[in-house]
Structures are given as structure tokens and as C-alpha cells.
């Protein structure tokens, strides 16, 4: 295969027409290239390992293995560190979206989104950023966190791992993480703490490394799951 600067995309959906539709849409944009397709989560994991795409467009509800399970397998594979998952959903607040984000997805996209929005979303995720704006992500996460039993997160290996990661953060890193999770941009955090945006970016990069977060979306999820921030009262 010849070298290319195109963003390489793997389309995953159990409906043939949906996959064909996305392939046709993406083929009309410069810099985007569909390198493969998969009909279910199990095939998605195999194809991702084979093709090493930049972005996986991942459906949630599929036979054999769900998109959530496949997302967890892909983002948890060190060999696929350069692959980002963009979850496809038919609802703006799908009941599985939080689980997908917690599994390592970089954001979510409506299946009926405008073609330009789809192309833009892929470029955003490929660059390593969260698809959803910080303030929108905060509201989304709070919705799901508030509906979940807190006791379930503080027990077992998952709870131990969250507490251990949180304990590695410095006071400044915790402070910046809390502000990011509450929806502030890097510029807003910088103004609030009277530091430069570059310094904020550096701190967030360190927090991502310590918490094994892929992007800002994962940092928000971590902040709530670890108990650093409590959901707003409803």
C-alpha cells in the first residue's frame, strides 16, 4: 500500500445499506478514505488489528459482539494506540453512549448527521480530540452518572484502579481536571488560574498519561467515575 496522508476509516455497522452510505459519503471528501468495513463487533476488532485505521465508526447495537465491547478491545490494545473510536448512535442521548465513552470511545455521532458534520467529526477524532464540546460532554456525563448507583463504582478492581490513578495526580492536576470536567476550555481554565493555555495543555497531557485517558472525553468520565466530581443535583 502506498503511503498516504489520508485519514483512514473503518466503518462498522450490521446493516449493509448503512455501511454503503457512509462509504459513499466519505469518498466524496478529500483526505478521508474508507479502508475497510465490518458487520459486527468481533469482525471490527479483527479488521482494526489488520488495517490499523485512524478512526473506527462504530455502531453500538450489533450481533455477536456489541460496539461497546469492540470499542473496549480496540482502545485497550497497545498496538492500536493510534486508532480512535467514534460511536454511531440513532439517538442524541443513547442509553449506551456513556458505556461507550467509558470503554474508550472519543465521542459519538448521530447516524443521520449532515455529511459535512460527519467528515468534520472524523477529522476531530483523528486529531486525538474529543468530538463533543466540553460543556456538552459535561451535561451528557452528568445525566448518566446521576442515574447510576455510586456504590458500584467504588468496589472491586475497577474502583481500586480509579482510586490509584486519582492518587497519582498533583493538587494542580486535580484542580485543572475538575475545571475541564465542568466544561471549561483550556483558555477559560488558564484565565481562571492565571496561567497560560499552554501550561493547561501540558497539565492535561500529564493527567491523561496518569489516568490512561485517550482524550478529553475520557478525562471527564474519569473525573466523575473516580468521585473527584459529584453529579449536579437534579
Amino acid at each position: 500500500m502506498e503511503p498516504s496522508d489520508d485519514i483512514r476509516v473503518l466503518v462498522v455497522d450490521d446493516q449493509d445499506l448503512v455501511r454503503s452510505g457512509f462509504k459513499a459519503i466519505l469518498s466524496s471528501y478529500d483526505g478521508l478514505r474508507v479502508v475497510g468495513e465490518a458487520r459486527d463487533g468481533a469482525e471490527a476488532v479483527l479488521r482494526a488489528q489488520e488495517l490499523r485505521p485512524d478512526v473506527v465508526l462504530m455502531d453500538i447495537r450489533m450481533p455477536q459482539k456489541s460496539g461497546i465491547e469492540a470499542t473496549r478491545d480496540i482502545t485497550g490494545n497497545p498496538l492500536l494506540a493510534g486508532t480512535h473510536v467514534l460511536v454511531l448512535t440513532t439517538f442524541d442521548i443513547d442509553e449506551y453512549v456513556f458505556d461507550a465513552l467509558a470503554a474508550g470511545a472519543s465521542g459519538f455521532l448521530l447516524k443521520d448527521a449532515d455529511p459535512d458534520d460527519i467528515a468534520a467529526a472524523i477529522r476531530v477524532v483523528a486529531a486525538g480530540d474529543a468530538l463533543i464540546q466540553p460543556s456538552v460532554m459535561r451535561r451528557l456525563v452528568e445525566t448518566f452518572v446521576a442515574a447510576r448507583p455510586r456504590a458500584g463504582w467504588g468496589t472491586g478492581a475497577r474502583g481500586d484502579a480509579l482510586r490509584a490513578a486519582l492518587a497519582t495526580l498533583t493538587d494542580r492536576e486535580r484542580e485543572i481536571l475538575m475545571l475541564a470536567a465542568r466544561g471549561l476550555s483550556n483558555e477559560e481554565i488558564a484565565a481562571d488560574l492565571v496561567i497560560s493555555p499552554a501550561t493547561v495543555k501540558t497539565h492535561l497531557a500529564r493527567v491523561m498519561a496518569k489516568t490512561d485517558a485517550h482524550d478529553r472525553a475520557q478525562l471527564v468520565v474519569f473525573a466523575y467515575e473516580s468521585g473527584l466530581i459529584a453529579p449536579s443535583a437534579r
Side-chain angles (χ1 to χ4, degrees), residues 22 40 42 48-49 125 154 185 197 207-208 218 228:
F22 273 108
D40 57 51
Q49 293 172 338
V125 171
S185 66
V207 175
M208 286 184 188
Q218 297 305 300
L228 180 63

Side-chain angles (χ1 to χ4, degrees), residues 103-175:
S106 295
F108 72 94
L109 178 70
L110 295 179
K111 285 187 177 180
D112 60 356
D114 182 84
D116 287 347
D117 291 336
I118 294 172
I122 291 172
R123 292 191 174 100
V124 167
V125 171
D129 296 323
L131 170 64
I132 310 170
Q133 294 180 345
S135 59
V136 177
M137 176 63 72
R138 175 183 56 78
R139 291 196 300 272
L140 174 66
V141 173
E142 283 197 359
T143 297
F144 287 97
V145 172
R148 291 185 167 208
R150 297 292 304 169
W153 286 343
T155 60
R158 173 65 176 170
D160 291 342
L162 289 170
R163 286 190 292 272
L166 185 61
T168 66
L169 303 184
T170 65
D171 290 341
R172 177 61 95 182
E173 288 169 348
R174 288 191 183 207
E175 186 177 28

Side-chain angles (χ1 to χ4, degrees), residues 39-142:
R39 294 181 175 83
D40 57 51
E43 185 180 3
V45 174
L46 293 176
R47 295 291 280 165
Q49 293 172 338
E50 173 190 354
L51 299 170
R52 307 291 176 86
D54 300 303
V55 176
V56 178
L57 289 182
M58 182 76 75
D59 189 23
I60 292 180
R61 298 167 179 151
M62 295 182 293
Q64 305 302 322
K65 175 178 285 191
S66 73
I68 294 172
E69 294 176 295
T71 295
R72 187 176 296 111
D73 289 345
I74 291 172
T75 61
N77 187 337
L79 297 178
L80 297 176
T83 297
H84 304 278
V85 178
L86 180 56
V87 169
L88 299 171
T89 177
T90 54
F91 306 100
D92 56 351
I93 300 183
D94 190 289
E95 62 180 304
Y96 297 114
V97 168
F98 181 83
D99 289 328
L101 293 174
S106 295
F108 72 94
L109 178 70
L110 295 179
K111 285 187 177 180
D112 60 356
D114 182 84
D116 287 347
D117 291 336
I118 294 172
I122 291 172
R123 292 191 174 100
V124 167
V125 171
D129 296 323
L131 170 64
I132 310 170
Q133 294 180 345
S135 59
V136 177
M137 176 63 72
R138 175 183 56 78
R139 291 196 300 272
L140 174 66
V141 173
E142 283 197 359

Side-chain angles (χ1 to χ4, degrees), residues 169 173 177 202-213 219:
L169 303 184
E173 288 169 348
L177 173 57
T202 297
H203 279 297
L204 285 175
R206 290 172 180 165
V207 175
M208 286 184 188
K210 291 181 179 181
T211 60
D212 197 27
L219 286 182

